[in-house]
Amino acid sequence: ETGVTQSPTHLIKTRGQQVTLRCSSQSGHNTVSWYQQALGQGPQFIFQYYREEENGRGNFPPRFSGLQFPNYSSELNVNALELDDSALYLCASSFWRAEQYFGPGTRLTVT
Amino acid sequence: AQTVTQSQPEMSVQEAETVTLSCTYDTSENNYYLFWYKQPPSRQMILVIRQEAYKQQNATENRFSVNFQKAAKSFSLKISDSQLGDTAMYFCAFMNFTGTASKLTFGTGTRLQVTL
């Protein structure tokens, strides 16, 4: 059974650019959630996708958007990057409302 | 809004000893789950243990057990026979079900160091 995978591992972008992060969910899971973890903090919920639709969103601006594909993999897109977007981005998959299993994360640095 | 509080930023325990990490939460909901996650330096968040609010019996997973006090909104994690591999950040998390979404709210974490 393959766990949750994320790509890339690390990414460096310039302020104002756009970035796409990718996540493959664990086998048998149909729900993907994205979290942002700033240094020294707990993760913050960005949004959740179920059956290819966003079904919940945290306190993040619209420039944070996502997609879920028929194979349940997902993308997180961030437009107009700001310095404060520098963080570890975590993807978690689950079978609907069951416990969430996390991927290794993508470290994004915005300069 | 739900909040999760972990009042111990750092803790240290000797190998083979027992340590308890504290967590309190605030919610007006009756249906929720509670979790402890472990995040080692490799940064991958690993699920340690889960507790459903409707269950009175405390969850146990090998050396890990919880003390769930629903009325007090307290959810502590006990690690028995601590091992060097337990060194990590430990996050307490609350899951509620807003509409159709299942959202995790995390505390700020407790850094646990296991020493020889």
Side-chain angles (χ1 to χ4, degrees):
Chain A
E1 182 180 280
T2 306
V4 181
T5 61
Q6 293 186 242
S7 63
T9 305
H10 297 93
L11 204 51
I12 300 174
K13 289 287 189 178
T14 303
R15 191 171 50 183
Q17 287 187 318
Q18 178 266 342
V19 69
T20 297
L21 309 182
R22 294 179 175 82
C23 171
S24 292
S25 60
Q26 185 169 313
S27 176
H29 289 180
N30 57 11
T31 302
V32 173
S33 305
W34 286 92
Y35 294 84
Q36 181 196 65
Q37 186 177 18
L39 202 59
Q41 302 292 320
Q44 299 288 318
F45 176 73
I46 302 175
F47 44 54
Q48 183 176 84
Y49 277 83
Y50 172 66
R51 292 186 174 178
E52 301 178 54
E53 291 192 3
E54 184 183 296
N55 72 331
R57 188 176 186 93
N59 190 26
F60 282 82
R63 58 189 186 83
F64 284 78
S65 63
L67 286 172
Q68 187 181 31
F69 301 99
N71 67 353
Y72 305 119
S73 66
S74 177
E75 286 183 355
L76 164 65
N77 299 290
V78 187
N79 293 322
L81 284 167
E82 301 177 0
L83 295 179
D84 284 349
D85 295 334
S86 294
L88 180 67
Y89 287 85
L90 296 167
C91 166
S93 76
S94 61
F95 181 74
W96 197 44
R97 293 183 170 189
E99 58 271 15
Q100 297 180 11
Y101 292 89
F102 285 80
T106 294
R107 172 73 66 190
L108 173 65
T109 302
V110 182
T111 63
Chain B
Q2 288 74 29
T3 59
V4 177
T5 301
Q6 294 180 249
S7 58
Q8 305 153 314
E10 293 186 4
M11 293 194 72
S12 181
V13 64
Q14 287 192 318
E15 198 177 23
E17 297 296 307
T18 295
V19 64
T20 299
L21 309 184
S22 301
C23 172
T24 59
Y25 59 95
D26 188 24
T27 184
S28 57
E29 300 183 14
N30 200 43
N31 180 29
Y32 54 89
Y33 294 168
L34 292 163
F35 301 89
W36 281 96
Y37 281 90
K38 163 185 174 181
Q39 189 176 40
S42 66
R43 82 191 185 198
Q44 180 149 7
M45 198 76 76
I46 301 166
L47 177 63
V48 174
I49 199 164
R50 147 186 161 163
Q51 175 80 44
E52 293 91 335
Y54 64 84
K55 289 187 178 179
Q56 292 188 342
Q57 187 171 4
N58 289 323
T60 299
E61 286 287 340
N62 301 315
R63 299 183 294 108
F64 299 88
S65 61
V66 298
N67 183 4
F68 174 47
Q69 302 290 327
K70 190 173 183 179
K73 296 179 181 175
S74 170
F75 182 60
S76 61
L77 174 70
K78 185 171 82 171
I79 306 174
S80 304
D81 186 26
S82 297
Q83 301 175 358
L84 294 177
D86 295 334
T87 293
M89 281 291 287
Y90 285 81
F91 290 96
C92 177
F94 171 98
M95 177 184 280
N96 67 320
F97 308 99
T98 54
T100 57
S102 52
K103 163 191 169 183
L104 283 169
T105 300
F106 287 84
T108 52
T110 296
R111 184 175 302 280
L112 177 67
Q113 180 73 46
V114 180
T115 59
L116 290 171

